[in-house]
């Protein structure tokens, strides 16, 4: 299992992203609903030992979206795509 370890405002967080949780996050997200799916996704993939610490971070404005971006940079990196004709 891949782990993503982050230090956020001096708090260590460990995430264990997986395809099921990632796909559920993408499917729940819409143009007018991004924060709740991000919170849910992070809570699903947070290691048991850091769930309580995560809750202290998620109360900060914008925290969920910033964390999701960092976790997914590692779990689902951008592909290098080139169009060839």
């Amino acid at each position: 299992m891949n782990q993503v370890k982050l230090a956020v405002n001096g708090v260590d967080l460990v995430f264990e992203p997986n395809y099921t949780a990632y796909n559920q996050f993408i499917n729940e997200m819409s143009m007018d609903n991004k924060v709740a799916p991000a919170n849910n996704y992070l809570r699903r993939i947070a290691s048991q030992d850091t769930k309580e610490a995560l809750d202290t971070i998620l109360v900060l404005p914008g925290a969920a979206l910033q964390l999701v971006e960092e976790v997914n940079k590692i779990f689902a990196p951008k592909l290098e795509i080139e169009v060839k004709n």
Side-chain angles (χ1 to χ4, degrees):
M1 178 179 300
N2 293 334
Q3 289 189 333
V4 177
K5 298 176 182 180
L6 302 175
V8 182
N9 289 353
V11 177
D12 290 337
L13 300 174
V14 178
F15 297 95
E16 299 168 343
N18 59 71
Y19 290 110
T20 302
Y22 177 80
N23 289 340
Q24 187 173 359
F25 164 62
I26 297 300
N27 289 336
E28 289 174 349
M29 207 170 32
S30 65
M31 291 302 292
D32 61 350
N33 188 25
K34 292 180 181 67
V35 176
N39 274 292
N40 294 338
Y41 172 60
L42 292 168
R43 285 191 170 103
R44 278 186 212 113
I45 65 171
S47 72
Q48 193 62 40
D49 296 340
T50 61
K51 286 183 185 279
E52 194 172 312
L54 174 63
D55 288 339
T56 66
I57 299 296
L58 289 179
V59 298
L60 302 172
L65 296 177
Q66 291 178 59
L67 288 171
V68 164
E69 181 179 355
E70 290 303 314
V71 168
N72 287 341
K73 274 184 193 176
I74 296 165
F75 180 70
K78 297 227 182 266
L79 299 175
E80 184 178 320
I81 300 172
E82 181 181 333
V83 175
K84 294 189 170 205
N85 291 329

